[in-house]
Amino acid sequence: MIRFLAPLIGLLIALPAWAEIKIQEVTSPGGIRAWLVEDHSIPFTALELRFRGGTSLDDPDKRGAVYLMSGLLEEGAGDMDSRTYARALESLAASIGYRATDDSVAISAQFLTENRDDAVELLRTTIQQPRFDQDAIDRVRAQVLSGLRSEQTDPNDIAGEAFAKMAYGDHPYGSNGKGSIDSVSALTRDDIIDAYKGVFAKDRLYVGAVGDITPEELGALLDNLLSDLPETGKPIPGNAEVTIPGGVTVVEFDTPQSVALFGQKGIDRDDPDFFAAYILNHIIGGGGFESRLMQEVREKRGLTYGVGTYLVPKDLASVYLGSVSSANDRIAQAIEVIGDEWRRAATEGLTQKELDDAKTYLTGAYPLRFDGNAQIAGIMVGMQMEDLPIDYIATRNDKVNAVTLDEVNRVAAELLDPDGLHFVVVGKPEGLETTN
């Protein structure tokens, strides 16, 4: 059975072309909503469950509780300890994975049609009856602590934590969702149970399914899987107040190469100008070797191996970030060039050729995201969480193509804030000092 699953997963790219993906909205008899792409060509189904809230639900003095809890869901449930659970999952040739981010706890499951009932029952047990055995807590806690200690010596992680604290302050976004060494060390089993109760509730649930399952079968599956969950969970925090003053923060770290994380206030995903901003970012720093920053910082001046930017529209705040690394004696020049390009784009705008090339790339690359059941299920859940229409996949490229040069240049002038751009530099940069 297990030998059969690997080649089967490899065949998942044989799904219908992305433009032909037909999403159905399904409501179970018990009232659970889901989006479904029905495809019976392969006896296999991918199921994505996502609960809004994520590590942001942690109390200030319990940071890391949700992250640790999510890592414990596959460490035993019901009458199964961790080893028994692992053997049961392997015997079904199924896959179940859990992950926690700032804004959600996600469960991804894939299973063969012939094993669907048993796989779903196993999944149900992990969601409804997690054991949280103390030996499992201690083992997974040790893994988390090891990762946190490693992050303390990683310049990228150091920069990320410093920038988040500056940008988000006391909001949960302002500290590591994995927690700190002190907070994770102090977490008790009761804290883990409280985190579990806060996350798993129907009022924050989003579901996507792709594969060999009918709407009726999916409805029955969801009621069996989730109907016993409480109606409401822990309140989600309010929006973060983003505070990013322009300037430089230097974090001393003994390394021959400095790492810089830079950013400013961003744009929300539901903003009418989001697609213009999305294209703008691609041209400035999101488009790989063709982006302006790669051309100016790497190709023309040889200051870095790589520089990039990306929009980060989280549920409770939005920022616009980028990163670059360079030798300690060259990072100041790299930062100067980035600032100049930020200002040039804001004041002079972009060209029609840059816009056309970006549209060609972004519309051509979009279908590549739909290369398997699990990927499509995840995309559908993301669409629901962002309140996008059910036909978004079919219309997304039209929205990209509809953006005009005037719109992009207006958004560049409004969004880009050269004076509000802040650089957190980790290393021993020459010619740079903390400015505020």
PDB file of all heavy atoms in Angstrom, residues 365-379:
ATOM      1  N   ALA A 365       3.018  32.616 -14.591  1.00  0.00           N
ATOM      2  CA  ALA A 365       3.456  31.770 -13.474  1.00  0.00           C
ATOM      3  C   ALA A 365       2.287  31.283 -12.627  1.00  0.00           C
ATOM      4  O   ALA A 365       2.413  30.273 -11.930  1.00  0.00           O
ATOM      5  CB  ALA A 365       4.444  32.545 -12.599  1.00  0.00           C
ATOM      6  N   TYR A 366       1.167  31.978 -12.677  1.00  0.00           N
ATOM      7  CA  TYR A 366       0.053  31.642 -11.794  1.00  0.00           C
ATOM      8  C   TYR A 366      -0.413  30.191 -11.926  1.00  0.00           C
ATOM      9  O   TYR A 366      -0.627  29.517 -10.902  1.00  0.00           O
ATOM     10  CB  TYR A 366      -1.106  32.602 -12.051  1.00  0.00           C
ATOM     11  CG  TYR A 366      -2.261  32.472 -11.097  1.00  0.00           C
ATOM     12  CD1 TYR A 366      -2.078  32.621  -9.722  1.00  0.00           C
ATOM     13  CD2 TYR A 366      -3.542  32.201 -11.555  1.00  0.00           C
ATOM     14  CE1 TYR A 366      -3.138  32.517  -8.837  1.00  0.00           C
ATOM     15  CE2 TYR A 366      -4.613  32.096 -10.669  1.00  0.00           C
ATOM     16  CZ  TYR A 366      -4.403  32.255  -9.323  1.00  0.00           C
ATOM     17  OH  TYR A 366      -5.458  32.136  -8.445  1.00  0.00           O
ATOM     18  N   PRO A 367      -0.566  29.650 -13.133  1.00  0.00           N
ATOM     19  CA  PRO A 367      -1.030  28.258 -13.242  1.00  0.00           C
ATOM     20  C   PRO A 367      -0.106  27.244 -12.575  1.00  0.00           C
ATOM     21  O   PRO A 367      -0.547  26.151 -12.215  1.00  0.00           O
ATOM     22  CB  PRO A 367      -1.093  28.020 -14.761  1.00  0.00           C
ATOM     23  CG  PRO A 367      -1.239  29.375 -15.356  1.00  0.00           C
ATOM     24  CD  PRO A 367      -0.454  30.285 -14.466  1.00  0.00           C
ATOM     25  N   LEU A 368       1.179  27.591 -12.400  1.00  0.00           N
ATOM     26  CA  LEU A 368       2.134  26.644 -11.825  1.00  0.00           C
ATOM     27  C   LEU A 368       1.838  26.361 -10.353  1.00  0.00           C
ATOM     28  O   LEU A 368       2.355  25.399  -9.795  1.00  0.00           O
ATOM     29  CB  LEU A 368       3.559  27.179 -11.978  1.00  0.00           C
ATOM     30  CG  LEU A 368       4.015  27.450 -13.418  1.00  0.00           C
ATOM     31  CD1 LEU A 368       5.440  27.980 -13.435  1.00  0.00           C
ATOM     32  CD2 LEU A 368       3.905  26.189 -14.271  1.00  0.00           C
ATOM     33  N   ARG A 369       1.023  27.206  -9.721  1.00  0.00           N
ATOM     34  CA  ARG A 369       0.682  26.969  -8.324  1.00  0.00           C
ATOM     35  C   ARG A 369      -0.261  25.781  -8.153  1.00  0.00           C
ATOM     36  O   ARG A 369      -0.342  25.208  -7.069  1.00  0.00           O
ATOM     37  CB  ARG A 369       0.009  28.212  -7.736  1.00  0.00           C
ATOM     38  CG  ARG A 369       0.849  29.471  -7.774  1.00  0.00           C
ATOM     39  CD  ARG A 369       0.096  30.615  -7.112  1.00  0.00           C
ATOM     40  NE  ARG A 369       0.796  31.885  -7.244  1.00  0.00           N
ATOM     41  CZ  ARG A 369       0.359  33.028  -6.724  1.00  0.00           C
ATOM     42  NH1 ARG A 369      -0.790  33.044  -6.045  1.00  0.00           N
ATOM     43  NH2 ARG A 369       1.035  34.141  -6.895  1.00  0.00           N
ATOM     44  N   PHE A 370      -0.951  25.405  -9.227  1.00  0.00           N
ATOM     45  CA  PHE A 370      -2.006  24.401  -9.108  1.00  0.00           C
ATOM     46  C   PHE A 370      -1.495  23.036  -9.569  1.00  0.00           C
ATOM     47  O   PHE A 370      -2.009  22.437 -10.507  1.00  0.00           O
ATOM     48  CB  PHE A 370      -3.223  24.839  -9.937  1.00  0.00           C
ATOM     49  CG  PHE A 370      -3.759  26.176  -9.522  1.00  0.00           C
ATOM     50  CD1 PHE A 370      -3.260  27.341 -10.082  1.00  0.00           C
ATOM     51  CD2 PHE A 370      -4.732  26.276  -8.544  1.00  0.00           C
ATOM     52  CE1 PHE A 370      -3.733  28.589  -9.694  1.00  0.00           C
ATOM     53  CE2 PHE A 370      -5.210  27.514  -8.139  1.00  0.00           C
ATOM     54  CZ  PHE A 370      -4.708  28.669  -8.714  1.00  0.00           C
ATOM     55  N   ASP A 371      -0.469  22.546  -8.888  1.00  0.00           N
ATOM     56  CA  ASP A 371       0.203  21.339  -9.350  1.00  0.00           C
ATOM     57  C   ASP A 371      -0.098  20.122  -8.499  1.00  0.00           C
ATOM     58  O   ASP A 371       0.661  19.163  -8.487  1.00  0.00           O
ATOM     59  CB  ASP A 371       1.715  21.572  -9.446  1.00  0.00           C
ATOM     60  CG  ASP A 371       2.346  21.903  -8.099  1.00  0.00           C
ATOM     61  OD1 ASP A 371       1.587  22.136  -7.131  1.00  0.00           O
ATOM     62  OD2 ASP A 371       3.586  21.917  -8.014  1.00  0.00           O
ATOM     63  N   GLY A 372      -1.202  20.125  -7.779  1.00  0.00           N
ATOM     64  CA  GLY A 372      -1.556  18.946  -7.004  1.00  0.00           C
ATOM     65  C   GLY A 372      -2.760  19.200  -6.123  1.00  0.00           C
ATOM     66  O   GLY A 372      -3.140  20.334  -5.854  1.00  0.00           O
ATOM     67  N   ASN A 373      -3.370  18.114  -5.674  1.00  0.00           N
ATOM     68  CA  ASN A 373      -4.561  18.224  -4.830  1.00  0.00           C
ATOM     69  C   ASN A 373      -4.316  19.071  -3.587  1.00  0.00           C
ATOM     70  O   ASN A 373      -5.118  19.951  -3.243  1.00  0.00           O
ATOM     71  CB  ASN A 373      -5.009  16.829  -4.384  1.00  0.00           C
ATOM     72  CG  ASN A 373      -5.481  15.956  -5.520  1.00  0.00           C
ATOM     73  OD1 ASN A 373      -4.885  15.942  -6.594  1.00  0.00           O
ATOM     74  ND2 ASN A 373      -6.550  15.212  -5.301  1.00  0.00           N
ATOM     75  N   ALA A 374      -3.232  18.784  -2.886  1.00  0.00           N
ATOM     76  CA  ALA A 374      -2.964  19.480  -1.631  1.00  0.00           C
ATOM     77  C   ALA A 374      -2.756  20.970  -1.861  1.00  0.00           C
ATOM     78  O   ALA A 374      -3.232  21.805  -1.080  1.00  0.00           O
ATOM     79  CB  ALA A 374      -1.747  18.866  -0.943  1.00  0.00           C
ATOM     80  N   GLN A 375      -2.040  21.326  -2.941  1.00  0.00           N
ATOM     81  CA  GLN A 375      -1.803  22.728  -3.226  1.00  0.00           C
ATOM     82  C   GLN A 375      -3.114  23.459  -3.509  1.00  0.00           C
ATOM     83  O   GLN A 375      -3.350  24.578  -3.042  1.00  0.00           O
ATOM     84  CB  GLN A 375      -0.851  22.876  -4.413  1.00  0.00           C
ATOM     85  CG  GLN A 375       0.584  22.485  -4.117  1.00  0.00           C
ATOM     86  CD  GLN A 375       0.810  20.988  -4.154  1.00  0.00           C
ATOM     87  OE1 GLN A 375      -0.110  20.206  -4.410  1.00  0.00           O
ATOM     88  NE2 GLN A 375       2.040  20.575  -3.899  1.00  0.00           N
ATOM     89  N   ILE A 376      -3.991  22.822  -4.272  1.00  0.00           N
ATOM     90  CA  ILE A 376      -5.270  23.454  -4.602  1.00  0.00           C
ATOM     91  C   ILE A 376      -6.135  23.590  -3.359  1.00  0.00           C
ATOM     92  O   ILE A 376      -6.786  24.623  -3.137  1.00  0.00           O
ATOM     93  CB  ILE A 376      -5.995  22.656  -5.700  1.00  0.00           C
ATOM     94  CG1 ILE A 376      -5.168  22.668  -6.989  1.00  0.00           C
ATOM     95  CG2 ILE A 376      -7.382  23.235  -5.970  1.00  0.00           C
ATOM     96  CD1 ILE A 376      -5.702  21.755  -8.074  1.00  0.00           C
ATOM     97  N   ALA A 377      -6.154  22.563  -2.530  1.00  0.00           N
ATOM     98  CA  ALA A 377      -6.935  22.652  -1.291  1.00  0.00           C
ATOM     99  C   ALA A 377      -6.445  23.809  -0.429  1.00  0.00           C
ATOM    100  O   ALA A 377      -7.249  24.555   0.147  1.00  0.00           O
ATOM    101  CB  ALA A 377      -6.848  21.334  -0.520  1.00  0.00           C
ATOM    102  N   GLY A 378      -5.134  23.968  -0.325  1.00  0.00           N
ATOM    103  CA  GLY A 378      -4.585  25.065   0.454  1.00  0.00           C
ATOM    104  C   GLY A 378      -4.925  26.420  -0.135  1.00  0.00           C
ATOM    105  O   GLY A 378      -5.239  27.370   0.589  1.00  0.00           O
ATOM    106  N   ILE A 379      -4.857  26.527  -1.454  1.00  0.00           N
ATOM    107  CA  ILE A 379      -5.210  27.785  -2.118  1.00  0.00           C
ATOM    108  C   ILE A 379      -6.674  28.135  -1.859  1.00  0.00           C
ATOM    109  O   ILE A 379      -7.012  29.288  -1.572  1.00  0.00           O
ATOM    110  CB  ILE A 379      -4.922  27.688  -3.625  1.00  0.00           C
ATOM    111  CG1 ILE A 379      -3.408  27.698  -3.876  1.00  0.00           C
ATOM    112  CG2 ILE A 379      -5.593  28.834  -4.385  1.00  0.00           C
ATOM    113  CD1 ILE A 379      -3.012  27.363  -5.294  1.00  0.00           C
TER     114      ILE A 379
END
